[in-house]
Amino acid sequence: MRIQTYFIILVSLLVGLGIGIPCLLGDMRVLHLYVLEGGIVLILVYLVFFYGKLVKPMNTIGNGMELLREQDFSSRLSPVGQYDSDRIVKIFNRMMDQLKSERLRLREQNHFLDLLIQASPMGVVITSFDEKVTQLNPMAVRMLGIEVSEIEGKKLEQVDCPLAQELAGIELEHTSVVRLNDANVYKCTHSYFIDSGFPHPFFLIERMTDEVMKAEKKAYEKVIRMIAHEVNNTTAGITSTLDTVEQALAEEQGMEDFCEVMRVCIERCYSMSNFITRFADVVKIPEPTLVPANLNEVAEGCARFMEGMCNDHQVTLRVECSPEVGMVNLDPALFEQVVVNIIKNAVESIASSETLPAGQGLVVVRTLAPATLEVEDNGPGISKETESKLFSPFFSTKPNGQGIGLIFIREVLSRHKCTFSLRTYNDGLTRFRISFV
């Protein structure tokens, strides 16, 4: 029961006593009765004074407690005119000012950190205790290449995304460099922060593609130039000497076999020189001259150009163009060379298959809205181990491959600002997908 209630009960008892005494003590002397009634009146006056000095301040402090419970830091208590109570009111009001300032500071700080995370060039993925994704910033959505609804509330290993699969395999407090099938390289860190005494796991994803590509290009450019210089100089001298010797021997009798050997050696030197020149051409890829072009027409033109090779390998080539695909900016010569190389790789992959019956090979050149070109084949597919190495310099799965085709494709598409990927999907089909930003 509250103090105010006790006070009301006490006042009621005194008033009742003051009224009942004259009835109960009717024969009492008038003077004594007046004295007794006067004492009761004095007690009532004192209680009123007591109410103002104690009960009212207690109610005021109780109201302050209600403000704290409701977390209403904008309201203040008014002084009650009692020294000790007013000291408490001043301390309470000062505390409320500090709490309000602290709350505003934390709110502004949290808002600033939230804006910083949203604008961060690094991807941030926060997971719950059961490893389900609870939050991710726009950069993480862009890196993963999926919608937020497709990943929130799910475990990373349940998401159909190569980067998410790689993140799921990183242990807590470990960092891993991941190279994906779209030539992108990411530095991924799995760590945690403490909030309210509990650890919250999160992933940081840093895109390192540009830095790695620049470093790789600088390295292989230097190696290619050095090798090309030495090989071309050497083969030029050898070819000149062999040609002179071959001409001298041609004038002698019975030297036809030696002359034939000399001609074979000369042709071999020219082949070696051409081989090295092909590597050097990768370094000399020109900057694309972008002009508006119809993506459907580009796809159809490249398919027509590759029909002969497909027929030779008994591979069916089909073109599926979406009428909703319009004009894109590209360099026709460079981009057509990229598409031709992709179709060629698909046909060669089908031709090398030992399980696919002859005549069952299929390559589909497809365009999708808004601006995507896709080359699909039903070849043997690409293993997970191979996917991460596809766009590495000089890597090839072909027995006689030189590993420069995909490097050329990567360089051209990167200069076109395209996003691309090459992978074998769950349906067993391999797709090289190119999307214009």
Side-chain angles (χ1 to χ4, degrees):
M1 193 177 294
R2 300 180 62 180
I3 293 179
Q4 186 176 4
T5 305
Y6 287 114
F7 178 82
I8 294 172
I9 293 174
L10 180 59
V11 170
S12 300
L13 290 174
L14 288 174
V15 172
L17 183 61
I19 296 172
I21 284 177
C23 298
L24 296 175
L25 304 175
D27 57 346
M28 182 178 288
R29 297 171 64 179
V30 176
L31 180 61
H32 291 168
L33 183 61
Y34 285 161
V35 172
L36 186 58
E37 291 290 340
I40 293 174
V41 171
L42 287 175
I43 293 174
L44 288 174
V45 172
Y46 178 77
L47 286 177
V48 172
F49 176 78
F50 183 76
Y51 176 81
K53 294 296 183 180
L54 179 63
V55 177
K56 187 176 179 181
M58 291 293 291
N59 288 336
T60 303
I61 294 174
N63 293 333
M65 296 302 102
E66 289 295 323
L67 294 177
L68 283 177
R69 187 172 65 84
E70 298 294 333
Q71 296 187 2
D72 182 4
F73 300 144
S74 60
S75 300
R76 298 293 180 269
L77 299 180
S78 300
V80 295
Q82 205 276 335
Y83 176 75
D84 293 328
S85 297
D86 287 347
R87 287 181 60 193
I88 296 176
V89 168
K90 289 179 181 179
I91 294 173
F92 179 85
N93 289 339
R94 186 163 62 247
M95 180 185 68
M96 295 291 277
D97 289 333
Q98 293 175 350
L99 288 174
K100 182 179 180 180
S101 300
E102 186 67 16
R103 172 185 254 187
L104 289 175
R105 188 186 68 82
L106 291 175
R107 185 175 296 172
E108 291 174 356
Q109 185 179 36
N110 291 336
H111 181 64
F112 174 79
L113 292 176
D114 186 61
L115 291 177
L116 182 63
I117 292 175
Q118 295 299 314
S120 173
M122 299 179 64
V124 181
V125 180
I126 301 176
T127 60
S128 60
F129 304 115
D130 54 358
E131 300 181 349
K132 293 182 179 180
V133 177
T134 59
Q135 185 179 355
L136 63 168
N137 68 343
M139 182 55 69
V141 175
R142 191 182 309 170
M143 290 176 174
L144 292 168
I146 57 178
E147 297 294 331
V148 176
S149 58
E150 298 178 19
I151 186 172
E152 280 191 339
K154 298 181 180 179
K155 293 185 177 182
L156 288 170
E157 57 264 24
Q158 297 173 342
V159 181
D160 185 19
C161 170
L163 181 55
Q165 299 291 331
E166 295 291 342
L167 291 176
I170 301 176
E171 297 181 1
L172 190 63
E173 296 188 325
H174 281 73
T175 298
S176 178
V177 177
V178 177
R179 185 188 289 266
L180 299 182
N181 52 21
D182 56 359
N184 283 316
V185 182
Y186 299 98
K187 181 181 179 182
C188 304
T189 302
H190 189 188
S191 187
Y192 67 92
F193 61 91
I194 302 296
D195 181 31
S196 301
F198 296 95
H200 289 261
F202 69 93
F203 293 89
L204 285 181
I205 312 170
E206 181 180 1
R207 191 172 185 269
M208 302 176 62
T209 306
D210 295 338
E211 292 78 3
V212 172
M213 288 179 63
K214 288 179 181 177
E216 288 181 349
K217 186 176 181 181
K218 185 176 180 180
Y220 70 67
E221 279 182 354
K222 184 176 181 180
V223 172
I224 288 175
R225 286 195 180 102
M226 182 180 66
I227 294 176
H229 179 268
E230 295 299 326
V231 171
N232 287 334
N233 287 346
T234 303
T235 55
I238 294 175
T239 302
S240 177
T241 302
L242 291 175
D243 186 59
T244 301
V245 172
E246 191 270 334
Q247 291 179 6
L249 292 177
E251 299 176 356
E252 303 293 332
Q253 295 292 332
M255 293 295 178
E256 289 79 7
D257 292 340
F258 288 100
C259 291
E260 182 64 26
V261 172
M262 293 299 173
R263 283 191 290 272
V264 171
C265 292
I266 292 172
E267 291 176 1
R268 181 56 185 158
C269 287
Y270 282 132
S271 298
M272 182 177 293
S273 179
N274 291 333
F275 177 80
I276 295 299
T277 301
R278 291 184 62 191
F279 280 101
D281 289 340
V282 177
V283 181
K284 300 175 183 178
I285 297 175
E287 286 296 326
T289 302
L290 303 181
V291 296
N294 189 297
L295 191 59
N296 287 339
E297 293 180 358
V298 172
E300 292 171 351
C302 294
R304 282 194 298 270
F305 181 78
M306 296 300 294
E307 283 179 354
M309 179 180 182
C310 292
N311 293 333
D312 292 341
H313 290 84
Q314 297 181 345
V315 174
T316 302
L317 179 60
R318 192 167 69 226
V319 181
E320 298 176 358
C321 292
S322 171
E324 298 178 0
V325 176
M327 306 294 288
V328 295
N329 292 323
L330 53 81
D331 186 312
L334 288 175
F335 193 80
E336 287 174 2
Q337 185 62 40
V338 164
V339 178
V340 166
N341 281 345
I342 295 173
I343 298 175
K344 175 176 174 291
N345 288 341
V347 174
E348 290 177 348
S349 173
I350 293 173
S352 65
S353 176
E354 298 179 355
T355 58
L356 191 66
Q360 297 297 314
L362 174 64
V363 174
V364 180
V365 180
R366 181 184 295 116
T367 60
L368 305 168
T372 299
L373 186 143
E374 182 179 89
V375 178
E376 175 186 281
D377 70 81
N378 62 346
I382 303 170
S383 65
K384 294 295 182 181
E385 294 75 15
T386 303
E387 279 187 2
S388 61
K389 304 175 184 178
L390 286 175
F391 295 95
S392 300
F394 313 126
F395 173 80
S396 177
T397 57
K398 303 174 185 176
N400 299 318
Q402 301 167 9
I404 62 175
L406 289 178
I407 289 295
F408 171 82
I409 292 172
R410 185 188 77 176
E411 290 291 330
V412 173
L413 294 181
S414 297
R415 297 184 188 190
H416 277 76
K417 307 299 181 184
C418 294
T419 59
F420 56 94
S421 65
L422 173 57
R423 59 181 290 207
T424 299
Y425 289 78
N426 295 331
D427 56 7
L429 300 177
T430 302
R431 298 181 179 93
F432 197 122
R433 184 171 296 170
I434 305 170
S435 298
F436 288 82
V437 179

